[in-house]
Amino acid sequence: MADDTPPADRRAHPDPYGTPPLPDGDRVRSRPPNTPPPSATTRHQLIAALILAIIVAAIVLRVLR
């Protein structure tokens, strides 16, 4: 009978470099959830303020020149 044959691959040319198949269920390991990055500390904020002050001072000195 015609229905006894297994279905053929519907893709004409499967990609040999595609993603590999997923591993068996007993090998799949869950990842811990992504934690957000820590907020900026006071030291980081002071450094950012210092850099901003240097940039503003450079612009002001350039304008006054």
Side-chain angles (χ1 to χ4, degrees):
M1 295 188 199
D3 294 331
D4 291 341
T5 58
D9 190 9
R10 294 179 190 243
R11 296 175 290 169
H13 303 287
D15 184 12
Y17 302 106
T19 57
L22 292 174
D24 294 337
D26 59 338
R27 297 182 189 172
V28 175
R29 291 181 173 75
S30 64
R31 289 192 215 162
N34 293 338
T35 57
S39 61
T41 62
T42 305
R43 181 172 185 234
H44 292 130
Q45 291 174 348
L46 288 175
I47 292 172
L50 179 63
I51 292 171
L52 182 63
I54 291 170
I55 291 172
V56 169
I59 293 172
V60 168
L61 289 175
R62 180 75 175 174
V63 168
L64 293 177
R65 224 169 176 213

